[in-house]
């Protein structure tokens, strides 16, 4: 799961590229702070997020389960 918290306003944009062990595994374009499901079927030891756009971002979080995101402040 991916959740991006920030300022979602008209005219701003954001693309998130998700890498696992250096390989691009998913690209998402969030439009709200709602959690987004990511593809499954692979495991890795190093995860990276690349944020591209004009939106102000406060946090970007990866989680194993959507319920894990509920525990964030």
């Amino acid at each position: 799961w991916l959740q991006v918290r920030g300022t979602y306003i008209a005219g701003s944009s954001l693309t998130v590229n998700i890498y696992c062990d250096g390989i691009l595994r998913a690209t998402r374009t969030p439009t709200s702070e709602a959690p987004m499901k990511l593809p499954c079927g692979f495991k890795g030891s190093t995860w990276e997020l690349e944020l591209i756009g004009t939106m102000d971002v406060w946090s970007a979080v990866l989680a194993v389960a959507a319920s894990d995101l509920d525990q964030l402040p």
Side-chain angles (χ1 to χ4, degrees):
W1 290 86
L2 169 69
Q3 184 177 39
V4 179
R5 294 180 179 180
T7 306
Y8 290 88
I9 58 173
S12 66
S13 64
L14 181 68
T15 298
V16 182
N17 291 324
I18 300 107
Y19 294 86
C20 177
D21 294 333
I23 300 170
L24 179 64
R25 295 295 186 170
T27 298
R28 295 291 183 267
T29 304
T31 57
S32 73
E33 291 187 1
M36 294 177 283
K37 189 162 177 60
L38 297 175
C40 59
F42 52 89
K43 294 182 181 182
S45 59
T46 303
W47 291 85
E48 299 171 81
L49 297 176
E50 178 182 33
L51 307 174
I52 303 167
T54 60
M55 188 180 114
D56 289 334
V57 175
W58 304 323
S59 68
V61 180
L62 292 174
V64 173
S67 59
D68 295 338
L69 298 169
D70 295 337
Q71 300 172 20
L72 297 174

